[in-house]
Amino acid sequence: NAGVTQTPKFRILKIGQSMTLQCTQDMNHNYMYWYRQDPGMGLKLIYYSVGAGITDKGEVPNGYNVSRSTTEDFPLRLELAAPSQTSVYFCASMTVTIFRDYNEQFFGPGTRLTVL
Amino acid sequence: QKEVEQNSGPLSVPEGAIASLNCTYSDRGSQSFFWYRQYSGKSPELIMFIYSNGDKEDGRFTAQLNKASQYVSLLIRDSQPSDSATYLCAVFPDSWGKLQFGAGTQVVVTP
């Protein structure tokens, strides 16, 4: 049981390059999230998914895309990287009962991305 | 108005004292509320979850929820230097799926 894994841990991109941040969870969680955290700030929701095949935008989706073809994987795609996308990216997964009276939730270790 | 707001920090607390953190939210239909601790350079860690009005205690932590006033608070009793971290409030609103965070409050416990 590895929890939530993210790859890579660090990455430097040049402006205009593209990349995919990988996120995998092995807990059969239905909900998955991508957040970015700028220095000294809170977490901003980029995209989320409530199950395989279902995704929706969060607060700051521009410049990103996601897919959720399986329960386990939720990759985040950056197209045409810009310096404003320099941040730490966290993936999280959660399970919630229908009555929302229980949840189990874990964050991945994060990916530090720098765009130069 | 931000959907989830927290006291701006840092909050300086003497060792052994009670740290009090507040969080307000704008979506009146919000159902579930979370407190996380985040050490510098690390990922957030869930420390408390509350969904009913009133108090919920877990060790030295107490979460208090008042849905009518739309606030949730976190008390840390007998604060220790290891409690020095940023504490994030998050809200699970009525719309399925979105989990939104406040900006966080940095707590510094001084010996």
Side-chain angles (χ1 to χ4, degrees):
Chain A
N1 188 334
V4 180
T5 58
Q6 290 184 239
T7 57
K9 286 188 170 55
F10 304 92
R11 185 72 185 267
I12 297 175
L13 283 182
K14 293 182 179 178
I15 294 172
Q17 287 185 319
S18 300
M19 76 165 293
T20 299
L21 281 66
Q22 301 291 345
C23 176
T24 300
Q25 54 96 4
D26 61 359
M27 298 165 285
N28 203 34
H29 286 172
N30 42 357
Y31 290 15
M32 294 188 75
Y33 301 87
W34 275 106
Y35 294 92
R36 59 176 287 173
Q37 187 174 37
D38 299 333
M41 305 294 285
L43 297 165
K44 292 195 182 297
L45 181 63
I46 305 172
Y47 272 95
Y48 68 100
S49 169
V50 300
I54 306 170
T55 62
D56 206 349
K57 296 177 181 178
E59 303 166 81
V60 290
N62 291 343
Y64 307 95
N65 276 301
V66 294
S67 60
R68 182 113 181 255
S69 56
T70 66
T71 299
E72 295 79 19
D73 299 308
F74 191 40
L76 178 71
R77 178 80 178 162
L78 277 72
E79 304 282 1
L80 299 175
S84 60
Q85 293 178 303
T86 294
S87 191
V88 179
Y89 291 82
F90 289 106
C91 178
S93 72
M94 174 194 291
T95 190
V96 179
T97 67
I98 191 169
F99 298 109
R100 307 202 192 199
D101 60 353
Y102 172 78
N103 85 94
E104 179 183 66
Q105 186 184 99
F106 296 96
F107 275 80
T111 294
R112 292 184 179 275
L113 176 67
T114 302
V115 182
L116 300 174
Chain B
Q1 181 189 2
K2 292 181 182 177
E3 296 200 31
V4 183
E5 297 206 53
Q6 295 184 242
N7 290 0
S8 58
L11 177 66
S12 184
V13 180
E15 185 173 356
I18 295 175
S20 178
L21 304 167
N22 294 318
C23 173
T24 58
Y25 58 93
S26 60
D27 188 335
R28 187 169 286 279
S30 297
Q31 298 293 321
S32 306
F33 308 85
F34 307 82
W35 283 100
Y36 299 78
R37 177 176 61 200
Q38 186 178 27
Y39 294 113
S40 181
K42 301 295 185 182
S43 54
E45 172 193 11
L46 181 66
I47 55 173
M48 289 291 285
F49 161 64
I50 187 167
Y51 66 96
S52 296
N53 276 328
D55 295 358
K56 179 180 179 181
E57 188 174 313
D58 185 359
R60 296 186 294 110
F61 298 102
T62 299
Q64 300 172 315
L65 174 61
N66 184 323
K67 289 186 179 180
S69 300
Q70 294 177 241
Y71 83 80
V72 56
S73 62
L74 180 71
L75 300 178
I76 307 173
R77 292 185 301 281
D78 187 24
S79 295
Q80 301 297 308
S82 60
D83 294 325
S84 296
T86 296
Y87 290 80
L88 300 163
C89 171
V91 174
F92 209 14
D94 190 48
S95 58
W96 283 95
K98 276 190 178 182
L99 180 63
Q100 293 189 288
F101 283 77
T105 300
Q106 185 185 3
V107 171
V108 178
V109 180
T110 54

